[in-house]
C-alpha cells in the first residue's frame, strides 16, 4: 500500500514530524514537498487503495494560505487520509477543522488527526528543541493506531471524524505576521535562499533584502543559508519574541483524534 506524504515545511519541523509518522506506518512512501514553487504544482490522484498523510505547519491558527489553495491539486476517491498540524506551542486553533474540511471536499476520508508540537519557527526560543523524545513517542503511537485503522475499512467507511476547532472559521482573518527575515554582512550572494523561497520574495541582485509584501515568513531561507546570514532582526521582533516566551511558556502535549473507537 502506498502512502503519499504531502507536507510544507519552511524550517523543517513539519517534515520531521511527517517523516516520523510515515516511517512507522509500514507502507511504501511517496514524498510530495510543497515548498516547491506554485509553477511546478502537479495533480496528485490518490485511489481508494492508497493513503494520504497531510502535514502542515500552523500559521495564525490555520494552514499557510498558499497550501490551502494548493489542496485543490489533491484528488481522492473515498481515500483515507491522516492529518498532522504542527504548531509552535501557542495553539493550533482551527487548523485541524480546516484541514479536514479541505480534504473532504477533495474526496478524502480523514481517519485520524494529530496536533504536534515543534519549535516556533519565528520565535525560536519558544518550544526550542521540539519535537523531543516524548513527542516522537506520541507520533509513533499515533502512526501505529493509523496503521490499524487503515487495515479496518469497515470501522470508518461511512463516518466523519470530529476534531477540536470552530465550525465557522475564517482563514482570511490571518493577514500574516509583520516580521520577515533579511540577510546580514555574512551573505556571500550564493543565491540558495532565492531558489528556495516559495514566494519569490528575495531578489537575485541583492539577496540580503526581502520583499515584505510577498514573504510569508516560512523561514526556508534561514534554514537553507550556508552562512547563517539570514534571520529576523529589530527591536519590534525582539519585543514580540519576549512576549511570546512568556505567553507560551507552558509545555503543551500532542493531541490525537480518531474517526472510530476500537481495541
Ligand atoms: C507566519 C507564522 C505563523 C505562525 N502561527 C502560529 C500559531 O498560530 N500558533 C502556533 O502555535 N505556532 C505558530 N507558528 C509556528 C509554527 O506553526 C511552528 O513553528 C511550526 O513548527 C513551523 O513548521 P516548520 O518548521 O515546518 O516550518 C507560526 C509560524 C509562522 C511562520
Ligand atoms: S543563502 Fe545566505 S549566503 Fe546565500 S545568498 Fe542567501 S543570504 Fe546570502
Ligand atoms: S523570504 Fe519569506 S517567504 Fe521567502 S523563504 Fe524567506 S521567510 Fe519564506
Amino acid at each position: 500500500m502506498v502512502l503519499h506524504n504531502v507536507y510544507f515545511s519552511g524550517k523543517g519541523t513539519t517534515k520531521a514530524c511527517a517523516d516520523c509518522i510515515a516511517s512507522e506506518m509500514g507502507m511504501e512512501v511517496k514524498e510530495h514537498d510543497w515548498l516547491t514553487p506554485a509553477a511546478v504544482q502537479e495533480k496528485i490522484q490518490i485511489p481508494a487503495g492508497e493513503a494520504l498523510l497531510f502535514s502542515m505547519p500552523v500559521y495564525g491558527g490555520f494552514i499557510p494560505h498558499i497550501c490551502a489553495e494548493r489542496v485543490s491539486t489533491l484528488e481522492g476517491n473515498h481515500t483515507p487520509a491522516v492529518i498532522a498540524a504542527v504548531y509552535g506551542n501557542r495553539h493550533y486553533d482551527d487548523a485541524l477543522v480546516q484541514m479536514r474540511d479541505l480534504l473532504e471536499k477533495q474526496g478524502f476520508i480523514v481517519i485520524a488527526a494529530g496536533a504536534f508540537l515543534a519549535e516556533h519557527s519565528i520565535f525560536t526560543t519558544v518550544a526550542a528543541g521540539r519535537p523531543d523524545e516524548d513527542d516522537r513517542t506520541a507520533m509513533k503511537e499515533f502512526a501505529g493506531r493509523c496503521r490499524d485503522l487503515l487495515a479496518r475499512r469497515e470501522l470508518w467507511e461511512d463516518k466523519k471524524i470530529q476534531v477540536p476547532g470552530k465550525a465557522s472559521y475564517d482563514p482570511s482573518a490571518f493577514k500574516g505576521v509583520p516580521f520577515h527575515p533579511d540577510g546580514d554582512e555574512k551573505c556571500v550572494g550564493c543565491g540558495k535562499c532565492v531558489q528556495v523561497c516559495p514566494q519569490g520574495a528575495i531578489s537575485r541582485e541583492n539577496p540580503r533584502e526581502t520583499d515584505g509584501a510577498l514573504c510569508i515568513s516560512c523561514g526556508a531561507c534561514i534554514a537553507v543559508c550556508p552562512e547563517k546570514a539570514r534571520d529576523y532582526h529589530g527591536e519590534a521582533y525582539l519585543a514580540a519574541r519576549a512576549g511570546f516566551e512568556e505567553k507560551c511558556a507552558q509545555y503543551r502535549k500532542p493531541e490525537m483524534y480518531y474517526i472510530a473507537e476500537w481495541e
Side-chain angles (χ1 to χ4, degrees), residues 100-123:
R100 178 198 63 191
D101 292 353
L102 285 169
L103 288 179
E104 281 181 353
K105 256 191 217 144
Q106 297 304 119
F108 293 89
I109 302 171
V110 175
I111 61 164
F116 299 105
L117 281 302
E119 182 170 298
H120 200 292
S121 54
I122 301 177
F123 306 119

Side-chain angles (χ1 to χ4, degrees), residues 2 4 6 44-48 50-52 74-77 79 108:
V2 175
H4 293 264
V6 173
I44 309 174
Q45 286 177 331
I46 310 178
E50 300 185 353
L52 167 68
L74 296 174
E75 212 177 290
N77 180 10
T79 308
F108 293 89

Side-chain angles (χ1 to χ4, degrees), residues 58-65 68-69 90 92-99 101-102 105 165-176:
V58 175
Y59 285 9
F62 300 103
I63 67 171
H65 72 274
E69 285 160 17
R90 185 192 65 76
Y92 58 90
D93 298 327
D94 300 324
L96 288 179
V97 187
Q98 181 197 22
M99 290 164 86
D101 292 353
L102 285 169
K105 256 191 217 144
K166 289 194 299 296
S168 62
Y169 54 88
D170 175 15
S172 70
F174 179 61
K175 308 283 183 212

Side-chain angles (χ1 to χ4, degrees), residues 8 10 35 59 66 179-182 193-202 209-212 214-224 230 232:
F8 177 87
L35 197 58
Y59 285 9
I66 58 170
F179 308 114
H180 308 286
D182 51 20
C193 55
V194 181
Q195 274 166 19
V196 81
C197 177
Q199 290 293 90
I202 309 170
E209 276 179 21
T210 304
D211 183 339
L214 292 174
C215 173
I216 57 167
S217 311
C218 72
C221 54
I222 301 173
V224 82
R230 286 185 72 84
Y232 296 93

Side-chain angles (χ1 to χ4, degrees), residues 182-184 186-196 202-204 206-209 221-222 224-231:
D182 51 20
D184 63 21
K186 294 194 288 302
C187 173
V188 295
C190 71
K192 289 197 167 126
C193 55
V194 181
Q195 274 166 19
V196 81
I202 309 170
S203 103
R204 186 69 195 87
N206 185 2
R208 292 193 199 182
E209 276 179 21
C221 54
I222 301 173
V224 82
C225 177
E227 306 298 324
K228 298 200 186 326
R230 286 185 72 84
D231 214 332

Side-chain angles (χ1 to χ4, degrees), residues 26-86:
M27 297 162 76
E28 180 195 336
V29 178
K30 274 196 187 156
E31 281 210 22
H32 307 274
D33 180 352
W34 277 11
L35 197 58
T36 52
V40 292
Q41 284 182 21
E42 46 168 347
K43 268 243 176 247
I44 309 174
Q45 286 177 331
I46 310 178
E50 300 185 353
L52 167 68
L53 170 60
F54 186 65
S55 309
M56 289 285 138
V58 175
Y59 285 9
F62 300 103
I63 67 171
H65 72 274
I66 58 170
C67 298
E69 285 160 17
R70 196 163 174 172
V71 171
S72 63
T73 63
L74 296 174
E75 212 177 290
N77 180 10
H78 304 284
T79 308
V82 172
I83 58 178
V86 179

